[in-house]
Amino acid sequence: MKKLIIITIFQLSIIAVFAQQNLTLYNMDKVLQSQFVNPSIDVQHKFHLGGLLIPIVGQLPPPIHFNYANNSFYYNHIFHFGEGSKADSLVLDLDLFYSKLKNTTYVRFETDFELLNLGIRLENMFLTVALTEKLRYGFSLPRDLFEFALNGNMPYMLESKPHDFKGFGLHFTHYRQLAVGASMNANDKFSFGGRAKILFGMANFNTDIKRLQLFTDPENYHMTWATDMKIQASLPIYFDYMLHQSDGHLDSVTFGINQQSIDEFTRDGGVSAATKYLLNLRNIGMGFDLGVRYQFSPEIEFYGSVNDFGFITWNTNPQNFVSKGEYKFKGLQVQIPDSTDFLGETAQQLVDTLVNTFGFELIETGYVTWLPTSIYLGGKYKFHDLLHFTALYRGEFFRKSYFQSLTLGVNSNLTNFLSAHLTYTIAHNYAGHLGFGLSARMGFMSWYFVTDSFTNMLFPQKAKNINFRIGCNLVFGYKKIKSTASIRT
Amino acid sequence: MKKLKFSLIIAILGLIAISGCVKDNFNFDLWDREVNYEASFALPAIWGDIAFTDALKKFESSGMLIKNSDGYVSLQYKTRVSSNKVNEILFLSDQNFNGNIFSPEFNFSNFNSFGDTVSFAKTIDMPFSMFNPDAEIDSLTLKTGIMNMMVTSTFKHSAKLYITFPTVTKNGVPFKRTFTFVAGGGSAVSMENDLTGYKIDMTQTATGFNEIPVEMRLTLYWSGTTDNSGSLTTSADISNLTYSIMYGYFGINTLFFESDTIDVNLFKDENFEIERYHFEDPKLLVKYWNSYGVPSQFYFTHMVANSALDNIDYDIIDYGVGLPIGASNPYNVSYSSNPNQVKHDSLVLNKSNSNIAQILNKRPKWIQFKAKATTNPVGYSHNNFVTDKSLIEVEVSMELPLWGYIYNFNMRDTVEADLRDLFRDNNPVKRALLRIDIQNGFPVEAYSQVYFLDQNYLILDSLFHSNNERLLTAASVDNNGRVIDFSRKVTKIEFDTQRLEKLRTCKYVVYEAHANSTQADQNKLSKVYDDYRIKFDIGFEADLGISGNIDSLSNQ
């Protein structure tokens, strides 16, 4: 009964969900990488070693994590097989696509390459060191953008409602993370873990749109545009940007990649440029993970963690393009013309006004980006030595939004060398992601494969999320953890 | 084991089936390529807030619209004519001079050995022929002039001739030349003498005008002969003479003005008609500018207005206020007393002192006139002067202050129309609406209608559902005719596919427009001030719909 209540409470707390990640990995205690998301986890080997830099184990297979997530739609919402006479044809269904859109559609990608990871058990403590190359990239699109494109601006105009495009965004971050972690049992009940991270930013492109709005006045169709936005970039090269104006008139706009910066960057050849890029230490950040585990009873434990609370300061060629303004477009202005080129002058005036109102201002100062922080809360019920049931709640703070998911899992350390994990996750307003994790050890080599959505990998046309993590670690000193749990009847 | 094998086979077959199904989802060869798109847009097109002052600035230089002396606006039609160029009337012709010295005029006593010299001097008056036999010129300053001189001596002695024009001076220095002859005589010339800038004083001879003295002094040098006979002949010609200023009495000269016409486009344009109108204060203005320093009389040989109603010429008549029509009724033009001055004068005909109001009722499409001026009409005076730029200019303008009313200004035209583009199969516009919002600060209302006709001129449809749609509502005016508030009218014109279908056979479009000033039906007078404004805002709605195969849509 107690178990049922607990599971039900977690289910009821489901609301908007997003970016499932590492949900199956969280409880894979035979895989060192689980400590990346669960700092307090008790990893069962005395020594782990892995990463791309390690010969053989680092290449067969290379330790990669990939995640794609979309909170709104999947492919079949756009193209799907028709009905009746069109049963064998693909049809374009814009109405269905539009009906699935959320206020903001986030499309995110994560790609991690583990360069090196090391874990070692010292008496009561497990220490880890990990060096990982991380790419975070994606874009977001506001629903109102599709509303405007697919339905026009009249429906909103008739409701005196503005089109809100502030959900539009682009982001790309490449950084390297050096994390040092430790977990320990404080006493019989509590275990703690944490990781301190130094972050080395390589490249960043980021939009920060506080306001981007279009309002069409139902009275006279006047369109009011308002912006308050910032586009930030910190790249090995930088952009030239200049508005050339005279007497308030726009003469020309210069925008392009600064050739001198390219020449400077590639001066000593491609290899040198790559080295310069990869060894850039100017964009430093820091972060940490914290985790705690509480043994409620021999069968039941609760745990929680905070991951990726951190930031990076960008100082390599930092460029902030800032635009803030509001303009009401009433159409082309008709005046008593002073010259024969009336249309040209009117158009020029409009361009001048738009540039003066919305023209980007370039501020070349460093800036800070924050990592998307996740919180995990969960519990485990040890039904048997070989069978554990888990429930895991994940919340993520991403670009001023909060996303959630709930995962129910069955975990089994089948043998000393094989463990399997099955999860069921509710995320992206869709219940039915089946996850699967497998770790298999042969001697001192332990392979792992985990995905939170293997059904999506089989049916990508219905996938809002596809992720997987694979790799291989060298492991030594397996410690069998005896459980006091017994089979419940 | 068998079960495991069987399960594996089933699993593999299942995977193959699944992958086939998955691939088909991404096989765009299976896409039926049908698109169905519907959207509605509303956009602003144009807007304006135009003050009459903007129009005034634009048209002021052409003089069509002006702010009059009473502070409101007038329509103005004018033309400006000038007299002939001054040097066509008061000109300088080429002049020539001859002078001789003969041996008997000398006293040869004690003239018999080397070193002996004998001289003789005389002054000869050189007359100038003038543009008018009555002209008496006191002085003039030359703008251009060339003098050529030739002297021939037949004296056996060597000689030297000094020839001086004492009243032809530049910077106070008289014009002079010296000619030298060897014994036995000969000829000498002095050519291309530039007289630019020389002042010629013609008052220093006994006549007192039109003449200049020429001083000749001949010196003979004894050259070893006792033969003292001989003569010296001098001839000079002055050509290419123009003056920059001339003083004197110029006589009676006639200045002609070319015939000119003022087009009154308001009544001349055949594209529109006006049923009834009234201008409260029409004016005919005649303005003069005179830079001649000569008393002159000016008159029109005729001034008529041609009626657009009956094509008859009507004389413009004043009621004794001095419109100079005819030689018997000339106007004495004010003249300046110094060369830098231009005298200005004017005459205004209005409804009180002329028949201009009656002329206006005849819808004058043009006013034509011809004029003359005569210098020194009343007598003789040496106070005349003229420069090379002197002119008499006359400007005649018809001014129609916009104070009054216009009733049923109407225009109508028929144009051929080709609306085939609207009936293309893939025309995406399913409905269009044009919204015209006008806030009118002028005391004018306007109506319009557009008819769509087929090849037999039968009406297929009209743009507006009412007989004549009022597009512009007249602003209210107070008792002084001044606008007191804007009036607003929003007009919507909508077409959908059903309505458009009616126009499939349209070949002609007839548009007509009517306009009235505020309460013109009650003859209410309105004034148009330059601070009046009109604001307009035009936008449109469009429902778009595209349905069909994307390949065929893009090929069309």
Side-chain angles (χ1 to χ4, degrees):
Chain A
M1 188 60 191
K2 225 190 272 183
K3 289 174 281 191
L4 192 59
I5 291 169
I6 291 166
I7 290 165
T8 307
I9 288 169
F10 276 112
Q11 275 186 320
L12 288 173
S13 66
I14 297 163
I15 41 177
V17 288
F18 183 59
Q20 55 181 171
Q21 177 178 312
N22 308 313
L23 300 167
T24 308
L25 178 69
Y26 199 89
N27 286 297
M28 292 176 68
D29 56 4
K30 281 206 174 158
V31 178
L32 167 71
Q33 281 73 10
S34 62
Q35 211 237 10
F36 295 170
V37 289
N38 186 357
S40 64
I41 198 168
D42 187 14
V43 178
Q44 294 185 19
H45 291 90
K46 285 186 182 168
F47 182 81
H48 292 249
L49 180 65
L52 269 172
L53 298 177
I54 306 299
I56 302 173
V57 295
Q59 291 84 48
L60 296 173
I64 296 174
H65 161 68
F66 173 79
N67 183 52
Y68 155 76
N70 178 330
N71 69 323
S72 285
F73 62 91
Y74 51 73
Y75 174 80
N76 271 166
H77 290 148
I78 307 174
F79 286 98
H80 60 79
F81 284 99
E83 293 172 0
S85 59
K86 290 195 184 278
D88 291 332
S89 301
L90 287 174
V91 296
L92 173 65
D93 195 340
L94 293 175
D95 290 335
L96 177 62
F97 164 68
Y98 179 70
S99 70
K100 296 297 179 185
L101 294 174
K102 300 291 179 291
N103 278 343
T104 304
T105 293
Y106 290 95
V107 177
R108 294 173 61 183
F109 298 87
E110 298 165 5
T111 308
D112 296 345
F113 299 94
E114 292 176 26
L115 299 177
L116 176 71
N117 65 72
L118 168 71
I120 185 166
R121 180 170 294 282
L122 297 172
E123 297 211 3
N124 200 30
M125 189 182 287
F126 188 76
L127 297 174
T128 58
V129 176
L131 185 66
T132 313
E133 210 73 16
K134 290 180 178 258
L135 288 103
R136 300 285 180 267
Y137 48 102
F139 59 90
S140 58
L141 296 170
R143 185 174 193 268
D144 281 359
L145 181 68
F146 296 98
E147 163 67 32
F148 183 87
L150 297 177
N151 295 324
N153 66 333
M154 266 194 71
Y156 273 34
M157 180 193 82
L158 294 172
E159 294 175 32
S160 292
K161 194 173 151 191
H163 286 84
D164 192 350
F165 301 129
K166 75 168 184 281
F168 180 79
L170 286 171
H171 69 274
F172 172 86
T173 306
H174 171 207
Y175 67 100
R176 187 172 308 126
Q177 175 182 280
L178 173 64
V180 176
S183 64
M184 62 178 285
N185 298 322
N187 54 39
D188 289 342
K189 292 284 184 187
F190 282 96
S191 300
F192 296 97
R195 295 210 306 167
K197 306 174 184 184
I198 301 177
L199 311 173
F200 303 93
M202 302 290 123
N204 174 260
F205 180 87
N206 183 57
T207 59
D208 178 9
I209 300 178
K210 294 188 176 63
R211 189 177 181 212
L212 185 63
Q213 204 176 62
L214 168 66
F215 175 73
T216 308
D217 192 329
E219 179 74 21
N220 47 33
Y221 314 146
H222 291 171
M223 301 172 103
T224 303
W225 285 92
T227 68
D228 184 358
M229 57 191 280
K230 206 188 293 183
I231 300 174
Q232 298 168 310
S234 174
L235 300 167
I237 51 161
Y238 58 87
F239 298 95
D240 283 331
Y241 170 74
M242 178 93 52
L243 291 176
H244 302 278
Q245 291 181 299
S246 57
D247 298 327
H249 295 301
L250 174 70
D251 291 329
S252 61
V253 178
T254 301
F255 182 75
I257 299 176
N258 180 279
Q259 187 59 41
Q260 194 180 350
S261 69
I262 296 175
D263 296 339
E264 181 71 26
F265 184 60
T266 57
R267 187 179 49 194
D268 298 321
V271 171
S272 169
T275 308
K276 252 190 275 186
Y277 173 72
L278 292 170
L279 297 181
N280 182 6
L281 299 179
R282 291 185 60 202
N283 307 316
I284 296 294
M286 50 196 292
F288 63 86
D289 302 337
L290 289 174
V292 62
R293 187 155 52 89
Y294 171 63
Q295 195 74 44
F296 179 74
S297 71
E299 292 84 21
I300 296 173
E301 69 181 44
F302 297 108
Y303 40 78
S305 61
V306 173
N307 280 63
D308 277 340
F309 184 76
F311 62 88
I312 302 173
T313 58
W314 299 95
N315 299 302
T316 301
N317 301 325
Q319 292 185 296
N320 300 267
F321 297 90
V322 179
S323 170
K324 185 172 181 177
E326 189 169 312
Y327 175 69
K328 180 183 282 192
F329 176 63
K330 301 195 284 188
L332 293 178
Q333 186 180 8
V334 172
Q335 302 172 87
I336 300 288
D338 290 325
S339 74
T340 53
D341 186 23
F342 157 65
L343 272 178
E345 284 187 8
T346 302
Q348 178 68 49
Q349 271 178 3
L350 178 61
V351 167
D352 291 339
T353 303
L354 290 174
V355 166
N356 287 330
T357 307
F358 299 119
F360 283 93
E361 183 191 353
L362 174 58
I363 303 172
E364 293 178 303
T365 57
Y367 59 94
V368 171
T369 58
W370 289 84
L371 301 179
T373 302
S374 305
I375 58 171
Y376 295 87
L377 294 170
K380 182 190 286 189
Y381 175 64
K382 298 172 187 174
F383 182 73
H384 186 268
D385 264 357
L386 299 180
L387 200 64
H388 301 163
F389 296 102
T390 56
L392 180 67
Y393 164 85
R394 179 175 184 267
E396 182 187 18
F397 297 92
F398 175 70
R399 294 173 81 84
K400 298 172 195 168
S401 296
Y402 184 65
F403 306 100
Q404 306 173 83
S405 63
L406 177 69
T407 302
L408 303 176
V410 177
N411 306 277
S412 176
N413 290 327
L414 296 165
T415 66
N416 285 349
F417 53 86
L418 189 67
S419 61
H421 310 262
L422 207 59
T423 55
Y424 176 82
T425 300
I426 301 165
H428 318 109
N429 283 355
Y430 175 70
H433 293 287
L434 281 178
F436 173 72
L438 187 71
S439 71
R441 180 173 62 84
M442 191 166 75
F444 50 83
M445 292 176 72
S446 173
W447 287 271
Y448 60 91
F449 171 83
V450 59
T451 174
D452 292 325
S453 55
F454 78 82
T455 46
N456 289 344
M457 294 176 81
L458 293 177
F459 302 103
Q461 70 273 22
K462 291 196 185 298
K464 286 190 194 177
N465 171 242
I466 294 176
N467 70 28
F468 66 89
R469 186 185 289 269
I470 57 172
C472 178
N473 295 322
L474 291 174
V475 294
F476 302 96
Y478 169 65
K479 177 192 87 175
K480 185 174 174 68
I481 296 172
K482 287 193 188 313
S483 169
T484 55
S486 57
I487 296 173
R488 296 305 218 187
T489 57
Chain B
M1 194 60 184
K2 266 191 188 171
K3 271 190 184 174
L4 183 62
K5 277 188 193 170
F6 182 72
S7 302
L8 272 172
I9 291 166
I10 296 294
I12 289 165
L13 286 174
L15 275 172
I16 291 168
I18 287 167
S19 72
C21 179
V22 168
K23 268 192 212 166
D24 282 345
N25 270 278
F26 296 96
N27 181 3
F28 283 95
D29 290 337
L30 297 176
W31 180 27
D32 66 358
R33 305 184 79 76
E34 296 283 319
V35 288
N36 210 344
Y37 174 75
E38 287 180 0
S40 301
F41 290 92
L43 295 166
I46 56 173
W47 71 280
D49 182 354
I50 298 178
F52 208 18
T53 47
D54 298 329
L56 280 181
K57 280 182 209 156
K58 169 76 179 170
F59 294 105
E60 213 163 30
S61 57
S62 64
M64 265 201 70
L65 282 173
I66 57 166
K67 186 172 178 177
N68 58 40
S69 53
D70 295 316
Y72 55 99
V73 176
S74 292
L75 264 177
Q76 182 178 253
Y77 304 96
K78 65 180 179 183
T79 190
R80 199 167 190 171
V81 292
S82 324
S83 56
N84 328 58
K85 288 194 173 55
V86 63
N87 54 15
E88 292 175 10
I89 307 292
L90 309 177
F91 56 87
L92 292 174
S93 51
D94 293 347
Q95 310 293 330
N96 52 58
F97 157 78
N98 292 294
N100 302 303
I101 297 176
F102 301 98
S103 57
E105 293 176 284
F106 285 90
N107 181 359
F108 288 109
S109 54
N110 300 318
F111 182 70
N112 49 23
S113 58
F114 283 105
D116 289 343
T117 64
V118 64
S119 297
F120 177 72
K122 68 195 283 188
T123 300
I124 303 173
D125 292 335
M126 174 181 172
F128 271 62
S129 62
M130 290 298 170
F131 47 86
N132 184 321
D134 297 329
E136 297 175 2
I137 305 303
D138 295 343
S139 65
L140 57 93
T141 303
L142 287 176
K143 193 172 166 187
T144 62
I146 299 289
M147 182 189 289
N148 299 318
M149 288 192 286
M150 188 160 78
V151 184
T152 304
S153 167
T154 60
F155 284 99
K156 308 300 188 287
H157 304 288
S158 60
K160 192 175 269 188
L161 174 67
Y162 301 89
I163 184 161
T164 304
F165 296 80
T167 62
V168 179
T169 58
K170 189 171 182 179
N171 299 324
V173 177
F175 178 81
K176 62 173 93 167
R177 288 291 179 268
T178 304
F179 299 86
T180 305
F181 302 90
V182 297
S187 293
V189 297
S190 174
M191 308 295 282
E192 300 291 326
N193 293 289
D194 185 3
L195 298 179
T196 300
Y198 274 86
K199 185 178 173 197
I200 303 178
D201 180 357
M202 295 189 181
T203 61
Q204 301 305 308
T205 63
T207 309
F209 55 84
N210 294 355
E211 282 183 350
I212 56 172
V214 182
E215 293 175 354
M216 297 171 63
R217 185 162 73 87
L218 182 64
T219 302
L220 297 175
Y221 299 86
W222 197 84
S223 301
T225 176
T226 54
D227 184 354
N228 295 326
S229 64
S231 64
L232 182 122
T233 307
T234 304
S235 67
D237 62 79
I238 310 174
S239 60
N240 197 29
L241 284 166
T242 61
Y243 57 86
S244 52
I245 191 164
M246 187 161 68
Y247 296 88
Y249 167 68
F250 300 148
I252 298 173
N253 302 281
T254 301
L255 312 176
F256 291 94
F257 296 79
E258 65 270 27
S259 168
D260 208 348
T261 305
I262 303 172
D263 287 322
V264 184
N265 289 328
L266 181 64
F267 303 117
K268 189 176 183 184
D269 198 323
E270 290 176 352
N271 291 325
F272 56 82
E273 290 175 355
I274 306 174
E275 183 177 324
R276 190 156 50 84
Y277 61 91
H278 173 72
F279 289 92
E280 181 68 7
D281 187 20
K283 299 185 179 76
L284 188 76
L285 291 92
V286 182
K287 296 181 186 173
Y288 311 90
W289 290 268
N290 183 14
S291 51
Y292 276 83
V294 183
S296 304
Q297 277 185 341
F298 171 88
Y299 58 92
F300 293 100
T301 55
H302 71 273
M303 182 183 277
V304 296
N306 183 265
S307 165
L309 289 175
D310 51 24
N311 213 27
I312 293 174
D313 290 346
Y314 290 88
D315 289 329
I316 295 176
I317 303 165
D318 72 310
Y319 301 151
V321 291
L323 179 69
I325 304 277
S328 58
N329 188 28
Y331 175 72
N332 292 317
V333 185
S334 306
Y335 62 97
S336 50
S337 54
N338 76 65
N340 297 321
Q341 195 181 37
V342 177
K343 280 289 193 179
H344 173 58
D345 207 344
S346 63
L347 173 71
V348 180
L349 298 185
N350 55 37
K351 65 181 182 184
S352 304
N353 61 16
S354 71
N355 68 341
I356 194 67
Q358 288 75 28
I359 293 288
L360 204 56
N361 287 337
K362 297 291 183 185
R363 304 200 185 181
K365 53 185 182 188
W366 46 255
I367 295 172
Q368 192 179 63
F369 61 89
K370 202 168 179 180
K372 266 189 191 176
T374 309
T375 62
N376 292 314
V378 290
Y380 172 86
S381 165
H382 267 251
N383 290 333
N384 297 169
F385 71 85
V386 70
T387 71
D388 57 326
K389 294 183 175 53
S390 290
L391 274 178
I392 295 180
E393 287 182 292
V394 177
E395 183 182 275
V396 179
S397 60
M398 163 78 84
E399 185 182 323
L400 301 174
L402 296 182
W403 179 19
Y405 61 80
I406 284 184
Y407 179 73
N408 197 14
F409 171 102
N410 65 85
M411 54 191 294
R412 184 183 168 103
D413 200 3
T414 303
V415 294
E416 287 187 23
D418 183 358
L419 304 181
R420 280 176 294 181
D421 278 348
L422 296 176
F423 298 99
R424 283 184 297 142
D425 285 340
N426 62 340
N427 181 8
V429 180
K430 304 302 173 198
R431 181 190 75 94
L433 180 141
L434 188 70
R435 181 182 176 279
I436 304 170
D437 181 354
I438 301 179
Q439 293 183 61
N440 183 21
F442 284 82
V444 175
E445 62 181 4
Y447 299 79
S448 183
Q449 182 57 280
V450 179
Y451 297 100
F452 301 95
L453 280 60
D454 66 11
Q455 60 185 0
N456 298 317
Y457 293 94
L458 292 173
I459 296 176
L460 299 168
D461 196 6
S462 61
L463 192 65
F464 301 107
H465 296 299
S466 61
N467 189 30
N468 264 285
E469 178 77 11
R470 183 193 282 190
L471 289 179
L472 205 65
T473 308
S476 312
V477 300
D478 61 16
N479 291 334
N480 295 321
R482 206 186 207 294
V483 164
I484 49 177
D485 199 8
F486 283 94
S487 69
R488 188 177 185 186
K489 176 70 170 56
V490 178
T491 307
K492 294 186 180 180
I493 305 168
E494 186 170 11
F495 268 88
D496 55 19
T497 46
Q498 204 177 357
R499 196 174 170 200
L500 201 60
E501 191 56 35
K502 291 186 197 173
L503 307 184
R504 192 176 276 276
T505 55
C506 175
K507 287 282 182 246
Y508 303 102
V509 173
V510 174
Y511 67 88
E512 56 184 42
H514 305 263
N516 305 306
S517 58
T518 303
Q519 294 177 280
D521 55 338
Q522 295 159 39
N523 298 342
K524 187 171 177 68
L525 300 180
S526 300
K527 280 181 182 170
V528 177
Y529 286 83
D530 65 336
D531 61 352
Y532 287 177
R533 315 183 75 87
I534 185 164
K535 303 178 193 178
F536 58 91
D537 210 315
I538 299 177
F540 63 90
E541 296 176 9
D543 291 349
L544 305 179
I546 299 174
S547 186
N549 185 282
I550 200 171
D551 293 323
S552 55
L553 286 172
S554 58
N555 284 339
Q556 285 175 355

